[in-house]
Amino acid sequence: MTSSSVAPSPSGSGGAPVERADVIVVGAGPGGSATAAYLADHGLDVVLLEKSAFPRDKICGDGLTPRATKELISLGVDTTGWQRTKGLRIKGGGHTLQLDWPESDAFPGYGMVRTRAQLDEALARHAEKKGARLHERTSVSTPLRDDSGRVTGVTAKRLDDAGRATGETVTYRAPVVVASDGVSSRLATAVGRTKREDRVMGVAVRAYYTTPKRDDYLESHLELWSRDDAGNRILMPGYGWLFPLEDGRTNVGLGTLDTTSAFQKTDYKDVMRRWVEDINPEWQLEHDESAGPIRGAALPMGFNRTPLYADGLLLVGDSGGMVNPFNGEGIDYALEAARLGAELVAQAMARPSDAERERVLAAYPKVMKDELGGYFTLGRWFAHAIGNPEVMRLATKYGLPRTKLMPFLLKIMANLADPTSKGASDRLITTLSRLAPSA
């Protein structure tokens, strides 16, 4: 480990104070906070930098499948009082099918729903309790690099309560920097890791609504029916969701993919407004204005920014495009990358020479691709197949009635196959993921 100092030392360029640590983590979303918590648990001195102050909102569906739930359990997060879900209700083609989450040795038989404002703060505070040094209102501006091009730290600006720069600049230095700074990833972009155009990109919009309906199932509408200005029903590309919260609200949203011809030409916020009006009246949805308007965000899928590690900079979560192309889910993969990445960083930091440390860190891309690469490729193929909304309509019309097929599809779309199971569906999904080319 390097020597660390909690108090800044006055040796930065231009007189800016310098903080040193073993690892710098940029971005306190689920991936960043989990990485910081795991690193601190490994005994490393870690600084966690977050531009905003908690609580703060992020655009998300807020749904946590059993895969994400497993990662939260592994992380040791207290989830007492969080909304639990029993499974998924799927609607489409005039059919409704309700499926329980498959319970196995690999995953718990329940999922959860938690707003990102609540989830992200819980994970950041968890990292603090483990020993990470959390600095809120700290906006990272640029990476620091040595003569060889290796990332050796970052510079950041302090922000006031209104999010304005105070004029104070701080330099952070560490042998390893983790970029968990979201889909745009200023850090990764600054060192030349641009988004890959051969990967699927999605977009999602969502808002919070109050409803008298109480539900412990996630609800997914595989046909996204909207209305034109004349009131005629039209089929739009994408799917919609309603994810219940414990406080009497539900997260309502819709997502679509750039594999559709209408991707660049559609106002999805307007589509959502029309879709909400058309939803079954049993929900009786009322927009929660206090939680903000309909807002949208991009979903970077299937490792759309690579390499995941090089020259001292490791990518976790959306910065590395770790979103499932099957269903737009990213939290579980960010948490998984945090766990696997932190283990490699801890092992690397224990090696006596720079060359040995670098060799361990350089294994991270292969570890992640071995874990998820084949599955993400299957998801990418699926995303291209359903780019035409008519394909989705036919699939739901003829697929949903096949009740024996749907549990298998739920298992593959939520990535819940148990790799140690001898069951036919688990073995088939595991084999397909293994045989598919790595993303």
Side-chain angles (χ1 to χ4, degrees), residues 16-65:
V18 176
E19 267 196 57
R20 300 184 184 277
D22 294 316
V23 186
I24 298 163
V25 180
V26 180
S33 290
T35 301
Y38 279 122
L39 290 169
D41 229 14
H42 284 298
L44 296 176
D45 178 43
V46 55
V47 170
L48 176 60
L49 306 178
E50 167 60 34
K51 180 178 180 180
S52 302
F54 291 106
R56 55 102 175 98
D57 191 25
K58 288 289 182 180
I59 310 306
C60 186
D62 299 337
L64 302 166
T65 66

Side-chain angles (χ1 to χ4, degrees), residues 28-29 33 50 52-56 116-117 120-121 124-125 134 136:
S33 290
E50 167 60 34
S52 302
F54 291 106
R56 55 102 175 98
R116 284 292 299 274
D120 288 17
E121 182 167 20
R125 302 307 177 204
L134 173 63
E136 300 172 64

Side-chain angles (χ1 to χ4, degrees), residues 120-143:
D120 288 17
E121 182 167 20
L123 295 181
R125 302 307 177 204
H126 182 73
E128 274 191 307
K129 290 177 183 177
K130 291 291 185 179
R133 293 186 273 143
L134 173 63
H135 293 194
E136 300 172 64
R137 299 190 184 91
T138 303
S139 178
V140 171
S141 51
T142 55

Side-chain angles (χ1 to χ4, degrees), residues 22 26 55 69 118 178 180 199 287 289 382 393 414:
D22 294 316
V26 180
T69 301
Q118 295 169 312
V178 176
S180 52
R199 294 293 185 262
H287 184 205
E289 302 286 351
F382 171 81
R393 187 188 72 81

